[in-house]
Amino acid sequence: MRTLSLLAALIFSTSAMAGPDDVVRPYPPQQIAAGTYVIHGPQGVPSAANQSFMNNPAWIVTNEGVVVIDPGSSVQVGRMVVEQIRKTTDKPVTHVFDTHVHGDHWLGNQAILEAWPKATFIAHPDMIKLARNGADAFWIKLMSDMTGGYTDGTRAKIPTVEAADGQAFKIGGKTFRIHSSTDAHSKTDLMIEMVEDHILFTADNVLNSQVMNLRDGTFKGVMKATDRALALNMALYVPGHGKTGDRKFVEDQKAYFATLMSEVRRMYDEGKSDYEMKPVIAEKLKAYQDWAEWDTNLGQQISLAILEIEQE
């Protein structure tokens, strides 16, 4: 135990000494299609150990430049992403899509602007509004607190271009079609379809092998977004967290939520409380118990599902 405590202290102190010029240790990208790359970040919450990095930054090399999707949680993560982009192309980043308001996906914008000051940043209009009204400061502080100060020096660079549901951005010979919602994972969510390549970036509306944190969203909205993702019948799906894959992991999430909600409804009608429901639902969902964040988020989901049922 003493050895583990010393190790934890070392990690924390190293993190706390990180400065604005630091870069997260490198994670190599995976090429999932011609000109399309994803860095699959480690799953879990931001910490000193992962240096705040735990999402899936992606980029697409077009005829005119590079389009980035979700450059990460801090300027330090963003600089790592910039380094990896430069290993795949010498073209500049021209556009960035920030998929939702949660800072682990977009606070890396700062590093993109350091490298390519002319880049255009695009997001859901409600994401832009929330970021301008205090969500930026909230997420900067949360990242710093959770990483022992590793992300200090990060500044919020808020997107300026609004994306509407159904809108198609034509960039460098590629079509990026927007599928947005106001009631899903964060209520500020974009899913981005690469039309010609049959790839959907689901953001956090769909995760691969991870129990979703839904404190800012609704089950109804996420289930609707999951159905929409499946109806598009893409060749590849890139989740906000977890590995890229085919529709199988999207179907797994659909089945997970369908079971959870049906069981919560049944036991709610029987007058059961959340703590009475949890062991029953955990047994029903035991096929998913190895998913990341199972211990952290299952109980929270049950409580939130009850609240959502009561509001109907």
Side-chain angles (χ1 to χ4, degrees), residues 2-291:
R2 178 174 172 78
T3 302
L4 289 175
S5 298
L6 288 172
L7 178 59
L10 178 60
I11 291 172
F12 183 87
S13 64
T14 300
S15 169
M17 291 188 294
D21 295 327
D22 287 293
V23 179
V24 167
R25 57 182 169 272
Y27 288 81
Q30 177 184 352
Q31 185 170 356
I32 62 168
T36 299
Y37 302 84
V38 179
I39 300 176
H40 294 102
Q43 289 176 270
V45 299
S47 66
N50 64 27
Q51 300 176 307
S52 83
F53 179 50
M54 25 71 75
N55 80 305
N56 289 343
W59 61 93
I60 301 92
V61 182
T62 76
N63 294 335
E64 297 173 2
V66 180
V67 176
V68 174
I69 299 175
D70 285 351
S73 61
S74 66
V75 66
Q76 293 84 359
V77 171
R79 287 170 181 156
M80 182 272 289
V81 173
V82 167
E83 290 181 353
Q84 298 305 312
I85 291 171
R86 284 175 163 158
K87 291 178 182 178
T88 62
T89 181
D90 58 2
K91 293 180 178 179
V93 169
T94 59
H95 296 78
V96 176
F97 288 98
D98 293 328
T99 61
H100 62 292
V101 74
H102 293 166
D104 56 313
H105 291 259
W106 68 275
L107 288 174
N109 286 357
Q110 178 185 349
I112 301 295
L113 277 174
E114 287 176 349
W116 298 287
K118 295 182 180 179
T120 297
F121 290 79
I122 306 164
H124 193 293
D126 291 342
M127 180 272 181
I128 296 172
K129 184 184 302 182
L130 285 174
R132 287 174 176 169
N133 290 332
D136 56 346
F138 170 85
W139 281 99
I140 286 173
K141 183 178 187 304
L142 183 65
M143 286 297 161
S144 177
D145 290 347
M146 295 185 76
T147 62
Y150 182 84
T151 62
D152 288 357
T154 298
R155 298 188 301 278
K157 300 299 181 180
I158 300 171
T160 57
V161 176
E162 297 181 355
D165 187 41
Q167 184 174 1
F169 290 83
K170 303 279 188 176
I171 304 171
K174 298 284 188 181
T175 306
F176 298 84
R177 181 170 292 144
I178 302 301
H179 302 273
S180 69
S181 58
T182 58
D183 61 354
H185 170 72
S186 72
K187 300 181 182 176
T188 66
D189 302 282
L190 306 180
M191 297 194 296
I192 301 166
E193 176 189 357
M194 285 183 61
V195 175
E196 293 84 4
D197 298 280
H198 307 290
I199 299 171
L200 183 69
F201 295 85
T202 69
D204 283 6
N205 290 319
V206 185
L207 310 181
N208 190 349
S209 301
Q210 181 162 326
V211 180
M212 187 180 296
N213 185 327
L214 258 171
R215 70 176 184 269
D216 294 331
T218 71
F219 289 91
K220 178 182 178 181
V222 166
M223 293 170 78
K224 185 167 59 178
T226 305
D227 284 339
R228 189 172 185 179
L230 287 168
L232 290 170
N233 199 27
M234 296 283 97
L236 286 174
Y237 293 84
V238 183
H241 303 270
K243 298 296 185 182
T244 295
D246 60 20
R247 62 185 286 124
K248 173 62 167 58
F249 77 84
V250 188
E251 292 169 345
D252 287 345
Q253 178 172 289
K254 178 182 172 71
Y256 171 95
F257 279 125
T259 299
L260 183 141
M261 288 301 293
S262 66
E263 287 299 306
V264 171
R265 286 182 188 279
R266 178 181 66 80
M267 286 187 280
Y268 178 80
D269 290 341
E270 294 173 356
K272 299 286 180 62
S273 62
D274 53 1
Y275 70 86
E276 291 174 308
M277 294 180 187
K278 186 175 180 181
V280 177
I281 293 174
E283 177 63 24
K284 291 281 187 179
L285 294 174
K286 63 182 179 181
Y288 310 98
Q289 65 187 355
D290 292 332
W291 283 14

